[in-house]
Amino acid sequence: MKIVIAPDSFKESLSALGVANAIEEGFKRIFPDAEYCKVPMADGGEGTVQAMVDATNGQLVTLQVTGPDGQPVSAHYGILGAENSVEGSDNLAPQKLTAVIEMAEASGLHHIKRDRRNPMLTTSYGTGELIRDALDRGIRHIILGLGGSATNDGGAGMAQALGFTLLTSQGNAITYGAAGLTQLASINTDEVHPLLSNCQIDVACDVDNPLCGPNGASAIFGPQKGATPQMVTELDNALRHFASIVNNTSQLSLVNDIDLFPGAGAAGGMGFGVMALLDAKLQPGVDIVVQAVKLAEKMDKANLVITGEGRMDSQTLSGKTPMGVMQQAIKQDIPVIGIAGCLGQGAEDILAQGMTAIFPIIPSLSPLDDILANAHNNLVNTAQNIAASLKLSI
């Protein structure tokens, strides 16, 4: 019997690999001779780099970059493992390697104390530095996860780190942040990183907000980054001005009105920046991960697939990891079981979409700290009970 274990992390308690290990431990108590294939998963948000590095036996690269407030921070990204190298080669082939970058690592909200957050000033420059480092290492495919950013600069800081020259009418470089966008008069591409045009960039994005307007980056996400109502208007105007300059820059090959595209408003307008300046493609995060870790191949000849996440509820239906794994399993006619830290409202709808069964792991009401601390044992015990139930039918 072949069992594929492909869960997301359980936030604040277990990584995706930790979840997979616990499920395997529980199942092995009942099915010690089964073949287990563990595939740590993610959906483009927090934990994507670690999950994909674990799934492919890749490596982490750590470096110091510019944080969202302009101060240095330590950030890392992942390079996927040797299975992405040229077939038959003993050495890694850089042109075939994939880097996975989470924007929040360099430009995340967690880098700034709550009382110092100001999206008029924060920059995505550090995310550009991570991309630049990957290019310098010979990477030719980058997966970029959006989300958790402290910025509202439309990706302008990222662009500056990659060699785009953003100038005022006096020919000076604009300052960091959305405030700098209001000074922008022209964009010069002469110094853009020479390897950027040869790199495919796929962006994990699970929101469909446009760049500007009542559903745009500033109105929807600005307040959580410290924006006041007045500031929201200023931020929106700054992004609108940025888009007009970008769309009137002849050196850039752009699709008209890209600022109106779904997802352009993701991560403070970073969605717009990567599409307009880097020719990146926005896709649901879990779809990118499913393809990158070769989940379909690993499910071949499997008898059962197990997935899960910390909480399964109605939001799971919106492109979260369990849905992506389930959809792939259904394509291959494999039953799939979901295991979650807890179940919330709407979890039953997951069953209606085709999941065979879902199970929570919490055995009793307890303080949250205790629940998080006991996640491994609770997960092992739940997996063992599921396996024992399955054995009854064999």
Side-chain angles (χ1 to χ4, degrees):
M1 177 168 62
K2 178 180 177 180
I3 301 172
V4 173
I5 306 173
D8 204 333
S9 63
F10 282 21
K11 299 295 186 291
E12 299 184 69
S13 56
L14 295 170
S15 68
L17 180 59
V19 174
N21 286 337
I23 293 172
E24 180 187 38
E25 182 179 338
F27 260 73
K28 275 189 171 179
R29 292 176 180 177
I30 306 300
F31 297 112
D33 299 323
E35 175 188 353
Y36 294 94
C37 178
K38 293 178 291 186
V39 191
M41 292 290 297
D43 56 20
E46 179 186 355
T48 296
V49 167
Q50 190 64 60
M52 295 181 71
V53 165
D54 288 339
T56 62
N57 295 315
Q59 61 178 319
L60 292 176
V61 176
T62 302
L63 60 152
Q64 191 173 78
V65 298
T66 304
D69 60 356
Q71 298 302 308
V73 299
S74 178
H76 68 256
Y77 67 91
I79 298 177
L80 301 195
E83 64 181 40
N84 288 284
S85 63
V86 175
E87 186 173 353
S89 173
D90 292 331
N91 299 314
L92 297 182
Q95 70 271 23
K96 292 295 182 180
L97 290 179
T98 294
V100 187
I101 297 172
E102 292 177 22
M103 181 186 178
E105 266 294 304
S107 311
L109 198 59
H110 65 282
H111 286 304
I112 305 179
K113 293 181 179 179
R114 186 175 298 275
D115 60 356
R116 298 188 62 188
R117 293 174 181 174
N118 186 344
M120 289 296 294
L121 304 178
T122 48
T123 179
S124 58
Y125 196 94
T127 297
E129 290 177 300
L130 293 179
I131 295 172
R132 188 177 67 201
D133 187 82
L135 293 173
D136 290 342
R137 292 173 187 269
I139 299 296
R140 296 296 175 267
H141 178 215
I142 292 174
I143 296 171
L144 177 63
L146 302 188
S149 77
T151 60
N152 207 97
D153 70 350
M158 170 205 67
Q160 289 172 306
L162 292 171
F164 289 85
T165 307
L166 279 58
L167 299 172
T168 68
S169 58
Q170 288 77 37
N172 301 316
I174 66 170
T175 56
Y176 285 157
L181 297 182
T182 63
Q183 312 163 357
L184 183 64
S186 65
I187 300 174
N188 186 286
T189 61
D190 292 346
E191 302 298 323
V192 171
H193 198 296
L195 300 179
L196 192 58
S197 61
N198 295 321
C199 184
Q200 174 188 341
I201 300 179
D202 295 319
V203 180
C205 176
D206 293 323
V207 302
D208 58 5
N209 305 78
L211 182 64
C212 300
N215 293 314
S218 305
I220 300 302
F221 306 113
Q224 71 190 43
K225 302 175 185 183
T228 63
Q230 179 182 349
M231 196 184 295
V232 166
T233 300
E234 295 172 354
L235 291 167
D236 195 58
N237 289 336
L239 288 178
R240 199 180 303 276
H241 176 68
F242 181 42
S244 70
I245 298 297
V246 169
N247 281 298
N248 288 314
T249 300
S250 60
Q251 303 103 308
L252 299 172
S253 299
L254 303 172
V255 178
N256 289 334
D257 299 323
I258 202 167
D259 51 302
L260 302 178
F261 279 28
M270 177 67 90
F272 168 77
V274 293
M275 285 192 291
L277 302 176
L278 308 187
D279 194 28
K281 303 295 186 291
L282 271 58
Q283 302 177 50
V286 69
D287 292 350
I288 293 177
V289 177
V290 163
Q291 182 177 2
V293 302
K294 302 180 181 179
L295 184 61
E297 295 178 25
K298 292 172 180 177
M299 283 186 182
D300 186 44
K301 295 183 173 59
N303 303 100
L304 175 67
V305 172
I306 304 172
T307 187
E309 62 179 344
R311 179 184 175 91
M312 295 178 71
D313 55 23
S314 59
Q315 293 187 32
T316 302
L317 299 169
S318 302
K320 298 295 186 181
T321 292
M323 294 303 293
V325 173
M326 182 193 76
Q327 289 163 0
Q328 187 59 55
I330 289 174
K331 287 179 184 178
Q332 297 177 234
D333 197 27
I334 307 169
V336 57
I337 289 174
I339 305 178
C342 65
L343 303 179
Q345 186 174 1
E348 65 279 359
D349 295 333
I350 301 170
L351 299 175
Q353 293 295 315
M355 192 166 288
T356 306
I358 52 178
F359 298 88
I361 68 168
I362 300 174
S364 62
L365 293 177
S366 303
L368 179 59
D369 288 345
D370 292 346
I371 290 172
L372 296 175
N374 292 321
H376 175 84
N377 289 336
N378 290 340
L379 188 50
V380 170
N381 292 336
T382 300
Q384 179 180 347
N385 287 331
I386 294 170
S389 299
L390 290 174
K391 191 172 183 180
L392 294 174
S393 63
I394 297 177

